[in-house]
Amino acid sequence: MNRKISLDLFERAKGYIPGGVNSPVRAFKAVGGNPLFIKTAKGAYLYDEDGNGYIDMINSWGPMILGHAFEAVEEAVIKAVKDSPSFGAPGRREVEIAELIVDMVPSIEKVRMVNSGTEATMSAIRVARGFTGRQKFIKFEGCYHGHGDAFLIAAGSGAVTMGTPDSPGVTPGTAQDTLLAPFNNLEFVRQLLEENRDQVAAIIIEPVGGNMGCVPPESGFLEGLRSLCDEHGVVLIFDEVMTGFRLARGGAQERLGVTPDLTTLGKIIGGGFPVGAYGGKKEIMDFVSPAGPVYQAGTLSGNPVAMAAGLEMLRHLDDNPGVYSQIEKTTTKIVDGIKQSLNKHGLKYTINHIGSMYSLFFSDQKVTDFETAKTCDTAKFGKYFNSMLEQGVYLAPSQFESLFISTAILQQEIDQIVEANDVALGGLV
Ligand code: KE4
């Protein structure tokens, strides 16, 4: 494929933007090659500046669940922008989307809109600390909650599981309050809570891991976290930035039947616009300013155009629950096709799949946490990724990302995706 314009744009970008991109994973560093600069997208397809078309399996990292340029969302945005893009004052749509989120997500009684998933998780931790008066919180290795300092923490060395900074610029003072545990390891969490009795404000988790590749919780794990949080007076936070409104109308918490105290949201909630949110129990959320003492603010929070996009997307999902069975069936057909190719080529790679999320792991081990995810052959994944790209299928440019299926992917696209997988996997033998 000719990608000269993308290449020229990337060279220009590197002169003005760190790494030439506005978010690191987009630079294709994990897979080799150069990023595509996208000119337009419609339905299941992305089109780069050189006019090459690709079936989109990332869908903007989740938001484009209805495919690109969904007309009802587009119309709502065009209508809203004519009334001015921003007021910096309350608007009707903020009330309407809050009412709808409370109706759709089982655990949310009150919700605050912010501008990204990172803002949502940062704020949720702050309010959990303010509500409990405690400082520490537990996160899980391989779970990503945005780029807030408190989350950029690697597992500490040795028995003490106090975190260590995972990025320059994050201070030891910050890291000392972040405790790390392996995903799907309830016993480890039980011990952490015993060792830090009455010091832990919150446990934050992706109820289905998406940032180490797709890693569902093992049976009883989330239920066990719920019980431990009740026993220790700890706020259970489900980071549903990825899974919210994707795995079910009410997100992973509805699908898996475990109710958190707080939920963080993003991606789909904005219909493609920069929106995040955090919400949950009234008694906790009423600690948030100006109702309570925990400060949090945002110039463009509840922006009318972004609210119009998010409202239209959530309304469509709320009115069309068949979307969820449709994208689950589509994903199952794709996964079954890949499994047939793996068997055909004698490859022992493993696949994790839930709803409209899946990951093909280049490892013969069952992937249940970050340690097992790291056994993957990332060089082989890079070859596979680029072969798929050459065949017009746009995957996440990292082994440690989930894929997201949209309603715009129909039988024709399924057939092309499965065929491309067969060629790409065959090329690795
Ligand atoms: P944002 O700040 O990127 O809106 O959201 C951060 C975030 C929080 N929680 C979860 C579970 C997330 O997956 C994310 C962001 N997801 C990544 C995809 N792995 C966004 C893509 C990127 O960083 O460019």
Side-chain angles (χ1 to χ4, degrees):
M1 282 180 176
N2 168 35
R3 296 188 185 131
K4 187 173 180 328
I5 300 175
S6 278
L7 205 52
D8 293 347
L9 282 168
F10 190 40
E11 288 313 310
R12 278 172 56 190
K14 284 189 278 192
Y16 300 94
I17 306 168
V21 291
N22 283 311
S23 199
V25 71
R26 302 178 189 171
F28 279 22
K29 280 201 159 184
V31 291
N34 296 299
L36 305 180
F37 279 65
I38 304 304
K39 183 173 187 175
T40 183
K42 180 67 181 166
Y45 293 86
L46 294 170
Y47 300 91
D48 66 20
E49 285 281 353
D50 295 281
N52 304 305
Y54 308 84
I55 297 173
D56 188 2
M57 304 282 282
I58 314 180
N59 285 294
S60 183
W61 304 94
M64 299 291 104
I65 190 171
L66 300 174
H68 287 283
F70 189 72
E71 274 177 33
V73 172
E74 216 169 68
E75 284 158 15
V77 166
I78 290 165
K79 183 171 181 297
V81 78
K82 292 186 189 304
D83 292 327
S84 175
S86 181
F87 310 135
R92 164 186 300 277
R93 294 186 185 88
E94 294 166 76
V95 184
E96 292 169 345
I97 201 169
E99 289 170 337
L100 185 53
I101 291 167
V102 166
D103 181 55
M104 291 176 80
V105 185
S107 64
I108 295 184
E109 297 175 333
K110 281 197 173 177
V111 61
R112 168 60 62 86
M113 306 309 289
V114 292
N115 302 282
S116 69
T118 294
E119 257 197 282
T121 55
M122 282 166 57
S123 307
I125 291 292
R126 186 181 307 140
V127 73
R129 285 170 161 162
F131 177 71
T132 60
R134 300 175 181 177
Q135 286 185 204
K136 293 179 179 180
F137 75 94
I138 296 171
K139 76 172 287 288
F140 294 84
E141 292 162 313
C143 285
Y144 175 70
H145 303 293
H147 64 87
D149 279 11
F151 301 117
L152 299 183
I153 307 295
S157 55
V160 176
T161 45
M162 210 132 47
T164 60
D166 201 16
S167 162
V170 176
T171 64
T174 299
Q176 68 181 6
D177 289 329
T178 302
L179 304 175
L180 271 293
F183 196 79
N184 275 324
N185 188 329
L186 197 59
E187 195 43 46
F188 197 104
V189 178
R190 192 189 313 281
Q191 285 175 23
L192 262 187
L193 288 169
E194 287 303 330
E195 288 162 13
N196 299 275
R197 185 166 279 280
D198 301 333
Q199 298 173 62
V200 177
I203 291 177
I204 186 168
I205 189 166
E206 292 179 58
V208 171
N211 288 285
M212 45 184 149
C214 177
V215 180
E218 294 192 327
S219 171
F221 176 57
L222 296 178
E223 295 81 351
L225 290 181
R226 178 68 274 170
S227 304
L228 284 172
C229 284
D230 293 340
E231 181 188 339
H232 289 266
V234 170
V235 175
L236 179 58
I237 304 172
F238 275 8
D239 178 356
E240 295 223 44
V241 167
M242 235 184 214
T243 56
F245 312 113
R246 172 163 285 280
L247 289 186
R249 173 180 177 272
Q253 57 193 269
E254 176 187 288
R255 186 184 182 104
L256 301 172
V258 178
T259 303
D261 302 307
L262 292 179
T263 300
T264 56
L265 297 164
K267 297 180 192 280
I268 290 172
I269 194 176
F273 281 74
V275 178
Y278 64 104
K281 282 181 176 170
K282 200 182 306 181
E283 62 175 326
I284 301 175
M285 289 304 290
D286 279 343
F287 261 68
V288 179
S289 175
V294 177
Y295 194 70
Q296 181 268 309
T299 303
L300 295 174
S301 296
N303 173 272
V305 178
M307 292 298 101
L311 201 47
E312 200 54 42
M313 183 164 275
L314 295 188
R315 280 174 175 158
H316 183 87
L317 294 170
D318 189 33
D319 295 341
N320 299 274
V323 160
Y324 295 105
S325 55
Q326 179 197 340
I327 54 182
E328 178 142 5
K329 285 193 188 94
T330 299
T331 310
T332 302
K333 285 181 182 175
I334 293 168
V335 167
D336 288 349
I338 299 172
K339 284 176 179 172
Q340 281 171 22
S341 291
L342 291 170
N343 290 335
K344 170 183 161 188
H345 299 297
L347 294 167
K348 302 267 185 267
Y349 300 145
T350 59
I351 298 178
N352 285 350
H353 164 214
I354 179 170
S356 60
M357 294 170 64
Y358 81 91
S359 291
L360 169 57
F361 290 101
F362 281 60
S363 168
D364 58 3
Q365 288 192 43
K366 187 172 181 303
V367 177
T368 57
D369 60 15
F370 197 38
E371 280 315 304
T372 43
K374 286 192 287 189
T375 64
C376 289
D377 181 336
T378 52
K380 277 254 174 79
F381 176 82
K383 285 197 187 110
Y384 164 76
F385 170 87
N386 282 292
S387 168
M388 293 293 283
L389 197 63
E390 279 304 315
Q391 298 180 80
V393 181
Y394 191 82
L395 303 176
S398 163
Q399 167 71 85
F400 306 111
E401 295 286 356
S402 179
L403 295 177
F404 304 97
I405 299 304
S406 79
T407 54
I409 293 178
L410 305 175
Q411 193 56 50
Q412 175 188 321
E413 287 74 30
I414 294 169
D415 294 342
Q416 185 180 337
I417 294 162
V418 170
E419 174 56 28
N421 264 285
D422 193 49
V423 170
L425 291 170
L428 298 176
V429 177

